[in-house]
Amino acid sequence: MKKKIKKMKVIGVGKWRIVYDLGNRRVIKVAKSKNGRLSNKKEIIVYKSAPSRIKKHLGKITTYGYGYRILVMKKYSRMFPRSKKYKRKLFSLRRTFMRNGIIPHDLNSNNLRLKSNGRIVFIDYGNFENRRKK
């Protein structure tokens, strides 16, 4: 597994995870540490428990495993525009998340993309707090 990953193109490096391009419109997030595994686990929990009106704004997780060491997600390439229009949309979306018990943290443009239909999507939500009732 490690040999395969080392051959892939690195498209992002964070404090706790490295993101590789799988080349099939998917990315793989590989944990560098225990905190990276916790971030992967948080993303999985938030994604699985989110209602559909929230889930459509989260990067789609296709698979995960190895004790949360890896997480495979759909790749979103359209960058988040820095316009007033999209900042207002993001603010409104943040309120929607909070009303649904999900507290979004780290809302910078590096963690945001647009779907082909123009919908905002979070590609890194490992720092989100899930306060939804289980």
Side-chain angles (χ1 to χ4, degrees):
M1 178 76 161
K2 284 185 181 181
K3 286 181 183 179
K4 285 183 181 180
I5 289 175
K6 286 188 178 189
K7 292 178 183 177
M8 294 179 211
K9 180 183 174 190
V10 174
I11 59 170
V13 177
K15 191 173 182 181
W16 301 319
R17 301 185 287 184
I18 301 173
V19 183
Y20 298 91
D21 188 344
L22 290 175
N24 59 355
R25 295 190 314 236
R26 302 275 184 268
V27 297
I28 185 168
K29 297 180 179 187
V30 180
K32 297 193 291 188
S33 65
K34 181 180 178 181
N35 286 332
R37 290 191 304 273
L38 289 173
S39 288
N40 281 349
K41 184 177 181 179
K42 250 189 198 182
E43 283 192 12
I44 292 159
I45 290 168
V46 167
Y47 186 79
K48 284 182 156 187
S49 67
S52 61
R53 66 185 167 278
I54 297 293
K55 193 177 280 192
K56 64 186 174 187
H57 294 284
L58 298 173
K60 183 179 181 180
I61 296 173
T62 57
T63 190
Y64 59 92
Y66 300 99
Y68 300 109
R69 283 181 179 81
I70 65 160
L71 180 153
V72 179
M73 182 181 281
K74 183 177 176 185
K75 183 178 180 181
Y76 300 91
S77 299
R78 267 181 82 189
M79 299 305 287
F80 182 76
R82 296 175 189 247
S83 67
K84 285 184 180 181
K85 172 186 169 185
Y86 275 96
K87 284 183 181 180
R88 282 192 301 271
K89 283 185 175 188
L90 180 60
F91 186 73
S92 174
L93 185 57
R94 183 177 185 273
R95 283 194 315 261
T96 302
F97 269 70
M98 292 178 77
R99 280 194 305 268
N100 284 276
I102 298 171
I103 313 303
H105 297 289
D106 204 13
L107 296 181
N108 69 62
S109 59
N110 294 330
N111 298 334
L112 301 165
R113 295 290 185 273
L114 293 182
K115 290 185 176 183
S116 57
N117 62 5
R119 183 176 286 146
I120 297 171
V121 64
F122 295 95
I123 59 168
D124 182 357
Y125 44 98
N127 289 328
F128 284 21
E129 285 181 60
N130 191 358
R131 295 187 179 169
R132 287 178 50 82
K133 294 176 184 169
K134 297 180 181 171

